[in-house]
Amino acid sequence: MVQAIVNTQNSSKARENSFVLQFREVGIVDIPLVGGKNASLGEMLQQLTPQGIGVPDGFATTAYAYRYFIEIAGLEKRLRALFAELDVEDVLSLREVGKQARSLILQTPFPDELQEAIVKAYRKLCQRYGEDTDVAVRSSATAEDLPDASFAGQQETYLNVHGVRGVLEACHKCFASIFTDRAISYRQIKGFDHFEVALSVGVQKMVRSDLAASGVMFSIDTETGFKDAALITAAYGLGENVVQGAVNPDEYLVFKPTLQQGFTPILEKRLGSKEIKMVYDLGGSKLTKNVSVSPEERRQFALTNDEILTLAQWACDIEAHYSKVRGLYTPMDIEWAKDGITGELFIVQARPETVQSQRAQNLLRSYELKQKGQVLATGRAVGEMIGQGKARVILDVHKIDQFQAGEVLVTNRTDPDWEPIMKKASAIVTNQGGRTCHAAIIAREMGIPAIVGCSNATSVIQTGQEVTVSCAGGEEGQVYQGLLPFEIKEVALENLPRTRTQILMNVGNPQEAFGLSAIPNDGVGLARMEFIIANHIQAHPLALLHFDQLEDELARYKIAELTAQYENKATFFVDRLAHGIGTIAAAFYPKPVVVRLSDFKSNEYANLLGGRQFEPKEENPMIGWRGASRYYDDRYREGFALECQAMKRVRDDMGLTNVILMVPFCRTPDEGRRVLAEMAKHGLVQGENGLQVYVMCELPSNVALADEFSQVFDGFSIGSNDLTQLTLGLDRDSALVAHLFDERNEAVKRMVAQAIATAKAQGRKIGICGQAPSDYPEFARFLVEQGIDSISLNPDSVLKTLLEIAQVEKG
């Protein structure tokens, strides 16, 4: 036993005093030895490759090797003297000290014994992969990839490095890069001692993604902190362009819980422009170069659905492993690459996500723009915040000393060299980049809003111009002219009461769903299809089905543009609708999400692209051909079939069986049966796979015949807007009688009370999704007193109405 302990201690000592260790010899506990990046690669090679996750092999120089080099060369004293003069807030001082520190290291040769260890390890790698094998040489600091400080991109990376001499040169440059301007600044901000941090170098077999694609993925939604989604970005070529924001990549969103149940829940596929790709500079003077991507490739997604699902599953597996190792939930930030020669996928880096995982879970903070103005630029919103100030357009990193604290930084893209000023910005706006690029990651970490991928920000925004940068309205962010008023609201969630009455939400915009799900709720009482059709599809379903017969040339052109990726244009409708509803259903899963089938009026349908050709002209569309009456009609039933296909995909393929379908404007029980029969033709059979179908209670006939409607449908949702309109006999679109419209009218209240009483007597659920309880607290009180099962509210009314309902229930 004693001998075993001695052997273990000797082995441990030998590792600590080694210049080089193979990745397979290290694990996550070895961050002090080989830095976060290399420790993580070793951990994955040992623990996750048996699960089928691909990780390229390699080796790492150790922290001991770095310190040995510094000590043998007598560099610490000279470096400390340099840093004694440093003012990290002065960009010019930072630049000069960094330059001198790097020069000191580069001018000092490696000791022979360190060179020999690196050469021996590289030759061993070549024995496995081939002579002069191509490798990536990456820096990995011992204060790196920590849960509260990513240190992402602070030191250098060199790709497509060949041969002994190339590897030694790249390792030497990596050692020097511990003193890049950005790394010095970042350590100072995070409170790390420059001389306590050591640098390890990882030498890893290259994945030939220059011939395929690569990108970044997170096991959490980066903007909202929603834990159940994996976000994947992808572009062609080597991954540096995605990381640095040089390209606008594709984005894919996958729902983790049902993925792990065997379903295929791709919630969103967003095509990026992917204008350039980084490839090997074969025969050239550089290691890599950027080349243009062909228009045909740009119009295609960089990944297949199977590859998207594989990567998402790996994100789940990696997150689960690191959460287990650390003993607490650990969302992950992961870099992946696809080999263009073998077609295999690989993970090349994985680190803890450092923003959402550190956010307070019991505090709900929201930003609201109180006034809108002229929109100067739009792009991908990063951070659900609002910032403002004078714009500073900077196109060259060497001019960052011009930047003043509190300004809005406007540039093409950022990389780690920009970080010394990014922390001083009130907001960041870039022409290029996606949600996982450098600017996005640093903005989140610094707690400032950013809009990336605007394409034209540097040309439409002028230095000195006052602007407001809003990321508070979903996935698209806006840069507004002027300093617009906004409000920040904070609500502590731990002391909110629970109510007997279910508190649901009305949600139309899928882009806001993940964020809204953080508000205390019991599900969604109304998810409207109309928003998705009008904003994300834009075309009339029959115009897509009969594209070749379209008479409107402009509509044909616009639809062709919208559906460029689709041979079958009807599939575009099904895809977009399924993605939109799927995202809302996933955000609130497994809580119920009531999805109302389309309820456009004929004049609204006519306004969709190509719609006028297929819609009648009605004198009063509000009480005309809408809702249920369209679904089984020969003039529209094939359009309704597309809705059914999309909903079947959400429930059957994505596994989101929490979706409850709801039929609007259903005039008679017999009409309800005809709609159910039409749905069944397309695989939506009431009762199968737990499918429930509700009906809107918004017509006097729904109230008068509530007992008969109860024999057809599983539940009711009161639409107070239409019920008020039709009870009082006024057109709610008419300004002439608008002053008479009031849901609190006694006639309306009696109708509501009767509907609730009848539904409950029939053992059916009944809720309300109309506007009234959001606008009038007294109406919400009335509903609770009548014994309603659920109240669905506009998101901004949920918390105040919840408190009101709790008071009523107390008596």
Side-chain angles (χ1 to χ4, degrees):
M1 176 66 78
V2 172
Q3 187 60 45
I5 293 171
V6 170
N7 289 341
T8 302
Q9 289 173 341
N10 289 340
S11 171
S12 176
K13 197 72 175 171
R15 289 174 79 243
E16 289 174 12
N17 293 336
S18 295
F19 289 134
V20 168
L21 290 170
Q22 297 297 311
F23 282 161
R24 290 182 183 276
E25 295 180 278
V26 298
I28 201 63
V29 295
D30 293 313
I31 290 177
L33 199 58
V34 292
K37 196 174 294 156
N38 293 332
S40 184
L41 286 168
E43 181 76 16
M44 290 190 293
L45 271 163
Q46 289 186 55
Q47 305 296 328
L48 295 176
T49 51
Q51 296 182 34
I53 295 177
V55 182
D57 209 348
F59 63 90
T61 66
T62 61
Y64 171 76
Y66 171 81
R67 292 190 172 109
Y68 181 85
F69 165 64
I70 295 293
E71 185 180 341
I72 291 293
L75 290 176
E76 183 171 342
K77 186 177 178 182
R78 296 165 70 186
L79 287 165
R80 282 191 181 277
L82 268 179
F83 279 86
E85 304 297 319
L86 172 65
D87 175 4
V88 79
E89 296 298 327
D90 181 340
V91 172
L92 296 177
S93 168
L94 174 63
R95 190 176 289 163
E96 184 57 33
V97 169
K99 181 181 176 182
Q100 290 185 43
R102 295 190 297 276
S103 292
L104 262 179
I105 290 178
L106 288 171
Q107 288 165 14
T108 307
F110 278 170
D112 290 345
E113 53 270 41
L114 175 55
Q115 284 201 45
E116 287 169 13
I118 294 171
V119 170
K120 183 180 176 183
Y122 175 64
R123 284 181 173 152
K124 185 177 178 180
L125 200 64
C126 291
Q127 287 171 10
R128 178 174 174 187
Y129 290 112
E131 186 178 354
D132 284 349
T133 194
D134 49 338
V135 291
V137 181
R138 292 188 172 94
S139 310
S140 179
T142 54
E144 175 186 74
D145 294 353
L146 304 174
D148 57 352
S150 70
F151 282 79
Q154 298 306 314
Q155 288 87 32
E156 298 295 357
T157 290
Y158 299 93
L159 305 177
N160 186 26
V161 177
H162 292 263
V164 166
R165 184 178 172 186
V167 169
L168 286 171
E169 282 182 2
C171 287
H172 205 161
K173 289 177 181 175
C174 283
F175 271 30
S177 75
I178 196 168
F179 294 118
T180 59
D181 302 353
R182 60 195 185 248
I184 296 167
S185 172
Y186 192 92
R187 281 195 296 270
Q188 197 99 344
I189 293 166
K190 293 291 183 180
F192 287 86
D193 185 323
H194 298 296
F195 300 97
E196 287 296 314
V197 177
L199 192 120
S200 164
V201 179
V203 178
Q204 183 182 39
K205 173 68 179 83
M206 281 288 292
V207 176
R208 292 300 304 269
S209 57
D210 61 309
L211 304 174
S214 58
V216 178
M217 62 180 175
F218 285 82
S219 66
I220 190 172
D221 182 62
T222 52
E223 305 314 315
T224 63
F226 181 69
K227 295 177 180 180
D228 285 339
L231 170 70
I232 302 166
T233 61
Y236 299 117
L238 300 172
E240 289 298 291
N241 282 341
V242 177
V243 173
Q244 294 181 5
V247 293
N248 297 337
D250 296 340
E251 290 185 9
Y252 315 104
L253 208 56
V254 182
F255 186 54
K256 288 152 53 180
T258 57
L259 173 70
Q260 307 213 64
Q261 295 168 22
F263 294 97
T264 55
I266 299 174
L267 301 177
E268 184 180 12
K269 292 171 67 175
R270 182 187 289 265
L271 191 71
S273 56
K274 308 185 295 292
E275 294 174 359
I276 58 171
K277 63 179 176 180
M278 185 179 287
V279 299
Y280 283 15
D281 188 15
L282 298 172
S285 59
K286 297 180 180 179
L287 300 173
T288 60
K289 64 180 179 180
N290 277 317
V291 297
S292 296
V293 176
S294 70
E296 185 182 358
E297 277 188 301
R298 289 173 56 189
R299 286 193 293 269
Q300 297 172 3
F301 286 110
L303 290 175
T304 65
N305 284 357
D306 285 347
E307 289 167 340
I308 294 165
L309 294 167
T310 295
L311 286 171
Q313 184 58 58
W314 287 4
C316 294
D317 294 342
I318 293 168
E319 178 186 85
H321 177 75
Y322 279 81
S323 297
K324 184 178 178 182
V325 167
R326 295 185 64 234
L328 73 163
Y329 171 63
T330 304
M332 299 297 290
D333 169 355
I334 302 160
E335 293 181 30
W336 64 270
K338 179 183 176 181
D339 195 299
I341 297 173
T342 66
E344 295 173 282
L345 293 168
F346 291 92
I347 301 299
V348 295
Q349 282 190 47
R351 61 176 73 89
E353 189 273 346
T354 56
V355 179
Q356 296 297 345
S357 56
Q358 301 299 304
R359 210 165 74 165
Q361 300 300 310
N362 59 353
L363 185 69
L364 189 67
R365 179 183 286 117
S366 61
Y367 287 68
E368 183 184 353
L369 200 60
K370 307 303 287 186
Q371 177 188 323
K372 294 189 177 179
Q374 180 189 347
V375 176
L376 301 174
T378 62
R380 301 290 276 133
V382 175
E384 299 177 300
M385 294 172 282
I386 298 172
Q388 54 187 204
K390 287 186 177 178
R392 173 74 63 177
V393 181
I394 302 179
L395 300 179
D396 183 348
V397 71
H398 296 103
K399 296 182 179 179
I400 62 175
D401 56 298
Q402 299 173 3
F403 191 80
Q404 303 296 311
E407 291 181 330
V408 174
L409 173 62
V410 183
T411 187
N412 274 320
R413 64 182 174 91
T414 69
D415 58 36
D417 288 330
W418 292 77
E419 283 174 33
I421 64 164
M422 292 173 78
K423 65 180 185 291
K424 302 176 183 178
S426 60
I428 298 168
V429 181
T430 69
N431 288 341
Q432 300 166 357
R435 284 169 64 187
T436 59
C437 73
H438 174 267
I441 289 171
I442 296 302
R444 289 187 203 101
E445 198 165 306
M446 301 291 186
I448 55 178
I451 301 177
V452 299
C454 295
S455 77
N456 63 345
T458 55
S459 58
V460 296
I461 300 171
Q462 308 298 317
T463 291
Q465 189 174 10
E466 292 184 329
V467 296
T468 297
V469 177
S470 176
C471 299
E475 291 183 2
E476 185 178 81
Q478 293 85 23
V479 182
Y480 291 99
Q481 165 111 23
L483 304 180
L484 303 179
F486 66 92
E487 185 179 357
I488 306 173
K489 297 177 182 176
E490 288 189 349
V491 178
L493 301 180
E494 66 266 25
N495 298 321
L496 289 174
R498 294 291 301 166
T499 58
R500 291 190 303 276
T501 308
Q502 285 194 317
I503 305 297
L504 308 176
M505 260 192 282
N506 300 333
V507 179
N509 185 353
Q511 295 180 359
E512 296 179 346
F514 287 172
L516 294 176
S517 68
I519 299 171
N521 69 83
D522 294 304
V524 174
L526 177 62
R528 300 179 182 90
M529 280 190 184
E530 295 83 51
F531 181 93
I532 298 165
I533 294 171
N535 292 279
H536 297 278
I537 297 173
Q538 301 178 34
H540 194 288
L542 297 181
L544 294 167
L545 283 161
H546 302 287
F547 177 75
D548 292 337
Q549 284 83 54
L550 270 185
E551 297 159 5
D552 184 335
E553 287 299 321
L554 181 59
R556 276 177 66 88
Y557 173 77
K558 288 182 176 178
I559 290 172
E561 268 195 322
L562 277 171
T563 61
Q565 297 162 262
Y566 292 83
E567 282 185 40
N568 183 337
K569 303 201 179 302
T571 305
F572 166 77
F573 185 97
V574 175
D575 272 5
R576 286 293 178 93
L577 187 55
H579 288 160
I581 294 298
T583 299
I584 297 172
F588 294 86
Y589 182 89
K591 298 170 186 173
V593 172
V594 180
V595 177
R596 187 177 70 190
L597 297 164
S598 64
D599 192 26
F600 280 131
K601 274 69 82 179
S602 55
N603 60 323
E604 294 167 336
Y605 263 120
N607 287 331
L608 295 173
L609 290 172
R612 299 199 185 283
Q613 188 173 330
F614 302 97
E615 293 295 327
K617 288 187 177 176
E618 297 184 276
E619 288 299 319
N620 193 343
M622 186 66 78
I623 54 172
W625 195 41
R626 60 179 283 202
S629 60
R630 297 179 70 96
Y631 303 157
Y632 55 86
D633 191 303
D634 285 338
R635 290 168 294 180
Y636 187 73
R637 65 184 350 141
E638 58 181 340
F640 181 62
L642 300 184
E643 291 182 36
C644 293
Q645 289 171 36
M647 293 307 95
K648 183 172 169 57
R649 184 183 297 180
V650 170
R651 288 179 51 85
D652 294 0
D653 297 350
M654 297 183 183
L656 295 164
T657 52
N658 58 324
V659 164
I660 297 167
L661 297 177
M662 183 159 66
V663 178
F665 229 77
C666 184
R667 292 173 168 98
T668 67
D670 184 57
E671 187 169 56
R673 292 185 188 94
R674 295 184 71 175
V675 170
L676 291 176
E678 199 67 30
M679 290 168 64
K681 288 180 190 175
H682 305 289
L684 292 174
V685 180
Q686 188 180 27
E688 273 190 17
N689 199 15
L691 175 61
Q692 295 184 67
V693 184
Y694 287 4
V695 66
M696 288 289 292
C697 183
E698 54 191 342
L699 310 171
S701 62
N702 300 143
V703 178
L705 300 176
D707 53 342
E708 293 189 33
F709 277 101
S710 294
Q711 307 310 308
V712 180
F713 294 102
D714 300 295
F716 297 84
S717 184
I718 297 167
S720 56
N721 290 349
D722 271 323
L723 189 59
T724 301
Q725 168 181 245
L726 296 168
T727 299
L728 298 179
L730 52 87
D731 180 350
R732 59 188 170 99
D733 278 353
S734 170
L736 298 173
V737 291
H739 64 284
L740 295 171
F741 188 95
D742 190 341
E743 299 96 323
R744 296 166 296 178
N745 182 283
E746 186 59 30
V748 179
K749 288 172 71 175
R750 287 189 189 185
M751 295 288 273
V752 169
Q754 182 181 335
I756 294 171
T758 307
K760 294 184 80 68
Q762 296 292 323
R764 291 292 185 234
K765 293 176 183 174
I766 185 163
I768 187 168
C769 61
Q771 187 71 23
S774 292
D775 289 345
Y776 307 119
E778 65 271 30
F779 197 83
R781 285 198 301 272
F782 160 72
L783 293 168
V784 174
E785 288 162 357
Q786 299 305 310
I788 200 162
D789 293 313
S790 63
I791 297 179
S792 193
L793 302 155
N794 294 338
D796 59 358
S797 306
V798 167
L799 294 176
K800 69 177 183 184
T801 310
L802 184 151
L803 296 173
E804 186 79 34
I805 289 170
Q807 283 295 111
V808 176
E809 290 183 351
K810 272 185 186 175

